[in-house]
Amino acid sequence: MKKWFLCIAIALAGSQAFAQRGGWLCEAAISYGMYDRSGLGRSSEIVDVSSTSTVNGGQRSDNHPTVLPTFTLAFGYKLPDSYVGIFLDTAWSYAYNNLEGGPSLMSENEHILHVMPEIRLYYMDKGNTRLYATMGAGARFRRFSETYEGSTLSNRDVEFSYQLSPFGMSFGEKWYFSCDFGMGNAWSFFRIGAGYKF
């Protein structure tokens, strides 16, 4: 981890001359919330594992949930004549499942929303090409409900959330394409998106 921070510090120091442009940015992206629905330390009733089995009415039945990709929306400001950007990043994930095996069908729905203030550090900003790293931390809001024979039960919880991306890039002047690589609660490995700078 120390090596990553050292590399980021050297890249920022060496690219200070390129970080001259500032302004507001709005970005939308799509990604995969692997760790958000893996059941590894996260509260999630609907996990993204097709081989999971569920006990329903005293019987085991295969559980094949439908899990949508994670959609993210970020809005922020890059400080002029600086290599720092301040963003508010949100990520939304939705999954549902229909369980059979009892006398009636049981339907499950789960929404997960991450809201994270984020710092973006630019390695380079040459107008139509930008390289950066991001660090964010905030809250994860989850709502789960299940409906069985016309009755619906639901619960909510809030947990800590974080996201680290040591490398991201975007290409374009006003409208741009972006790709980020990283790990965290909201999305995993990479996300792709588009944004507008104004």
Side-chain angles (χ1 to χ4, degrees), residues 39-68:
L40 300 174
R42 309 298 295 170
S43 61
S44 182
E45 312 286 333
I46 304 177
V47 295
D48 192 9
V49 180
S50 60
S51 62
T52 301
S53 294
T54 302
V55 176
N56 185 19
Q59 301 176 3
R60 282 201 171 274
S61 61
D62 289 334
N63 179 6
H64 299 285
T66 299
V67 179
L68 298 182

Side-chain angles (χ1 to χ4, degrees), residues 14-15 17 25-27 37 54 58 67 77 84 97 121 127 130 132 139 143-144 149 151 154 175 181 184 193 195:
S15 63
L25 298 95
C26 184
E27 301 173 354
R37 295 187 179 278
T54 302
V67 179
Y77 183 73
V84 177
N97 198 12
L121 304 174
R130 291 167 292 278
Y132 53 85
R143 180 183 184 275
F144 172 79
E149 293 186 339
S151 298
S154 64
W175 290 98
F181 299 89

Side-chain angles (χ1 to χ4, degrees), residues 56-57 101-105 148-149:
N56 185 19
S104 297
L105 183 72
Y148 182 71
E149 293 186 339

Side-chain angles (χ1 to χ4, degrees), residues 124-156:
M124 181 183 73
D125 184 355
K126 289 187 175 180
N128 62 354
T129 303
R130 291 167 292 278
L131 304 177
Y132 53 85
T134 58
M135 297 172 285
R140 174 187 187 261
F141 303 91
R142 184 183 74 95
R143 180 183 184 275
F144 172 79
S145 65
E146 58 184 16
T147 302
Y148 182 71
E149 293 186 339
S151 298
T152 300
L153 297 174
S154 64
N155 60 50
R156 296 176 173 85

Side-chain angles (χ1 to χ4, degrees), residues 24-28 73-76 87 175-176 194-198:
W24 292 96
L25 298 95
C26 184
E27 301 173 354
L73 182 64
F75 187 76
F87 284 74
W175 290 98
Y176 59 87
Y196 181 73
K197 184 178 179 181
F198 53 95

Side-chain angles (χ1 to χ4, degrees), residues 37 43 73-74 96 106 137 158 171 178 183:
R37 295 187 179 278
S43 61
L73 182 64
Y96 69 90
M106 177 184 289
V158 180
F171 306 98
S178 65
M183 296 286 286

